[in-house]
C-alpha cells in the first residue's frame, strides 16, 4: 500500500518498440502497457480526452499527433486490448512539479475503443472522481 500523497504508481510493465520501415521512415511505436493494479490505471487514465486516453511514461521523444499503437492489459483481465492512438500531449524531461516524462495517448473515436473506455471507467468506478494526484492533467 502506498503512503498518502506519494507519487502515482506507474504501470507494472512497459515495452516501447519503434518499428523501422524500408525507406527510412518508421511505423507507429508499439507499446505494451500492463496495469496490474487499479491505482496505476487511475494514475494513467485521461478522462479529459473525450474518447479516453492513457498517460504512457517514456523517455522517447514524440510529437503531437504522432501515431502510437498500444497493447493494453488491464487489472484482473487476461485479454490484451489493441489501441491505435495518437499523442495528445507531451510531458518533457525535467517537467515542472517533478512530473514523469511521457505522452498522453488519445484513444481513437471507434466503437471498439469506446467499449474499452467504458471498461476502464467501470474498473475505476468512483475513484475516477478522486482528487488524488495522477500522472495526467
Amino acid at each position: 500500500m502506498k503512503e498518502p500523497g506519494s507519487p502515482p504508481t506507474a504501470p507494472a510493465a512497459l515495452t516501447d518498440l519503434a518499428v523501422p520501415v524500408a525507406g527510412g521512415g518508421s511505423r507507429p511505436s508499439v507499446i505494451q502497457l500492463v496495469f496490474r493494479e487499479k491505482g496505476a490505471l487511475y494514475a494513467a487514465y485521461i478522462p479529459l480526452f473525450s474518447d479516453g486516453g492513457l498517460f504512457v511514461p517514456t523517455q522517447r521523444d514524440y510529437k503531437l499527433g504522432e501515431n502510437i499503437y498500444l497493447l493494453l492489459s488491464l487489472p484482473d483481465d487476461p485479454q490484451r486490448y489493441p489501441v491505435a492512438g495518437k499523442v495528445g500531449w507531451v510531458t518533457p524531461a525535467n517537467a515542472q512539479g517533478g512530473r514523469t516524462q511521457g505522452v498522453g495517448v488519445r484513444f481513437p473515436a471507434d466503437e471498439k475503443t469506446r467499449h474499452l473506455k467504458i471498461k476502464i471507467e467501470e474498473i475505476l468506478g468512483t475513484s475516477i472522481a478522486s482528487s488524488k494526484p495522477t500522472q495526467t492533467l
Side-chain angles (χ1 to χ4, degrees), residues 59-127:
Q59 293 182 349
R60 185 164 168 220
D61 289 326
Y62 287 93
K63 294 179 178 26
L64 289 176
E66 193 170 339
N67 293 320
I68 295 184
Y69 189 81
L70 300 178
L71 286 173
L72 177 64
S73 296
L74 299 174
D76 302 319
D77 185 347
Q79 185 172 343
R80 289 190 342 171
Y81 299 91
V83 177
K86 289 192 180 290
V87 175
W89 103 68
V90 176
T91 303
N94 305 313
Q96 195 172 20
R99 293 236 178 241
T100 302
Q101 180 179 356
V103 294
V105 177
R106 181 184 301 268
F107 291 170
D110 62 28
E111 192 64 20
K112 201 159 108 177
T113 311
R114 189 177 72 75
H115 288 293
L116 176 59
K117 177 184 186 224
I118 291 167
K119 182 166 187 63
I120 290 171
E121 291 178 351
E122 285 173 352
I123 290 169
L124 295 177
T126 57
S127 68

